[in-house]
Amino acid sequence: ACLLPAVSTKARNIERGPFKWAADFWWPANRLLLGKDCHESQAATLSYCLFWALLFAFKVAFSYRLQIAPLYAPTVDLWARRSELGTVVSLALVCVRWVPILLTYHLDTQIWFVLLSAAYGTVIGWALRIGEVRDIATVRRRLVPAIEAFNATLLSAAARTRLGLDSGAHGALPPISRAGGVGGVGG
C-alpha cells in the first residue's frame, strides 16, 4: 500500500470480487478488520508511508552502526576458527553472540516509534500552535485552578486550615514572595 497506493485500491476490489476466497485464504483475519473499506487520501497515505520509511531508515542506520557492525569481525573470527572448535560449536557460539543483538534490534522499533512520534507531534503542534502559552501570567492563570482543585480534593479540611488555604475562596493560594517561600516566609 505504501509503494503503490493505486494497487491497494485494486487489492481491495479483489476482496469483493470472484477471488474473495483467495483473499480469505491468504488473510483470514482480514474479515475481522474494521474500517478496511475506509479510503484514505493519497496525501495521507504518502505521509503515513514517509513516517514509517523514516522510522526504519533511522533505525537501520543507528542499529547497524552500533549493534551489527561491531559483531562482524568477531563473527568472522569465530567462523574462521571452526576447524579448531568444530563447526557445531562455532555455529553455537555465533548464535549465542547474535541472538540477543537481533532480539534487541527487532524490539527497539518501539523506541524509535516513540521518538519519531514525539518529534512529529511536536512539529505538528508547533505548526498548528497547539498549547501555545505566550507569557508566564497565562501559565499562572491556567495553573492556579489546577492547584485549587488539587487542594480541594486531596487535602483534608484540617490540612487546608493549617496551611492557610481556607481563606475565602476554597483553595486560594497565599502570595508567593520573591525570596522563594510561600506567604512571605523565605525558604
Side-chain angles (χ1 to χ4, degrees), residues 38 57 65 69 75 80 88 98 141 143 167 176:
C38 294
R65 188 125 173 112
T75 302
V88 174
W98 276 84
R141 190 173 59 245
L143 189 60
S167 58
I176 297 176

Side-chain angles (χ1 to χ4, degrees), residues 41-175:
S41 67
Q42 292 285 73
T45 303
L46 291 176
S47 174
Y48 177 79
C49 293
L50 178 65
F51 174 84
W52 283 103
L54 282 173
L55 181 122
F56 283 113
F58 286 139
K59 174 189 169 10
V60 167
F62 180 81
S63 295
Y64 177 77
R65 188 125 173 112
L66 293 175
Q67 291 177 325
I68 305 298
L71 284 180
Y72 179 74
T75 302
V76 170
D77 185 41
L78 276 174
W79 195 247
R81 296 179 58 196
R82 72 180 180 271
S83 60
E84 300 170 29
L85 302 171
T87 304
V88 174
V89 172
S90 291
L91 188 60
L93 289 173
V94 168
C95 287
V96 164
R97 203 161 175 82
W98 276 84
V99 166
I101 299 301
L102 290 177
L103 288 174
T104 305
Y105 180 79
H106 290 295
L107 291 175
D108 73 347
T109 303
Q110 288 288 22
I111 296 168
W112 284 103
F113 175 75
V114 167
L115 292 175
L116 196 57
S117 293
Y120 183 74
T122 301
V123 169
I124 295 298
W126 283 340
L128 297 175
R129 297 183 181 270
I130 295 174
E132 184 173 306
V133 178
R134 299 183 190 278
D135 57 359
I136 197 67
T138 305
V139 172
R140 182 167 172 85
R141 190 173 59 245
R142 292 181 182 172
L143 189 60
V144 166
I147 295 171
E148 290 175 354
F150 175 84
N151 290 339
T153 304
L154 296 178
L155 293 178
S156 67
R160 284 196 304 269
T161 304
R162 188 179 66 232
L163 293 172
L165 299 176
D166 272 343
S167 58
H170 86 111
L173 293 174

